[in-house]
Amino acid sequence: MDLKPRMKKILELEDLRDKNYKADFLKVFQMVRYREATNPRDMIYGLIGLTTGLDEGIIRYEATIQETYQQPTLEIISKSGNLDVFSHNLGFSKWTEKARHIVDDSLGYSRNGVAQLPSWVPDWNRRYKHTYLSSVTVRQKRLKLFRVGKDRRATVNVVAPGKLAIEGLDLLRVKQIGSEKPNTMGDISVWLSWRRMACIDSKPDRPYVAGGTISNAYWRTLCHDSSLENTTYPLRRVTNDDRFVHDEWWWRWMIILNGRLHLEKPATPSQFQCWREFEDAVQDLSTGRSFFISSSGYIGLVPSTTVVGDRICVLSGGKVPFVLRPHREQSQDDNSHSLEYTFIGDAYVHGLMDGEAMDMVEKGVLELQNLILR
């Protein structure tokens, strides 16, 4: 059993206690998400007095679990004006074989999660393995680096039971989806398949739809266009000067795979440490994710449950894009079609992370839509 993720959570909680202040609800929840509660409502209510972001007025033990989980989601969006809470929606509300290595049902939780929970509401009671939650935390820390929604405030409205109207753009269609990256260190087979899928080695200088080359877009996608995090340097967006870390790391793997490591000059301790830190970061950022290519040529990383035909959407209040699955239903009032979506999860899409889509809205090229999540 790997105790490192658990010890890290404990130390973070101890640090918060020592500082004697209330932290954001989502930050603390992510630290204790691996714990269990006899009453599933206490996964929310038990933290309200210790955190900021939720008021004690929402505590209602007579409410259904569905109501108990939906209300805090709406409250957090309303108070924060952003959609960070959506990045805590880890999916797999229905048990699938694909989720078996991520979801932990060893303590007897239902394999189907909370019944009839809207797709956009996090299942606050769902159990996940520590190693996966550790990877999720690495991704969530990078939310502050991105401005997909250009600081537009999220405005949401419940238009029917379980249905949420939100302003946004249905922007891209998923055309190709790669294999899921499992949480296994030292296994680069999936990364190799992603490179072949995007023709990184056969056509590295091919122009990328959002500028630059496909090879440049790919290495930035792997690391979410962000630097390594350590005690000396804070998280930041990468520059072209940072590419050598990726290139040296990948070259080292190619040498190993071709059995030529003995011909290379031994790496220095600092070089090896740099490569290892980069691989650790890329591993965390891609665990449980799949590489995708859109119909228009955008690339990125999406939840492994994404399928061809899913949509990449930009939502007001969102710092990152989101994957939504469209459902066309015939209206009973007339013969028109209304478009509703199932929420799949958050994403990294290279070339959209700095508000490029919202820039087109401001220029009148695109128009915001009212999207319905159910």
Side-chain angles (χ1 to χ4, degrees), residues 9 11 25 85 107 133 180 203 212 221 227 229 256 294 305:
K9 300 288 186 187
L11 291 174
F25 174 86
V85 67
L107 298 179
L133 290 178
E180 175 192 359
K203 300 178 181 178
T221 294
S227 65
E229 182 184 22
I256 293 172
S294 78
T305 48

Side-chain angles (χ1 to χ4, degrees), residues 342-360:
T342 293
F343 181 90
I344 304 300
D346 63 4
Y348 176 91
V349 182
H350 193 71
L352 291 182
M353 306 305 291
D354 293 308
E356 292 85 350
M358 287 301 182
D359 285 341
M360 289 189 279

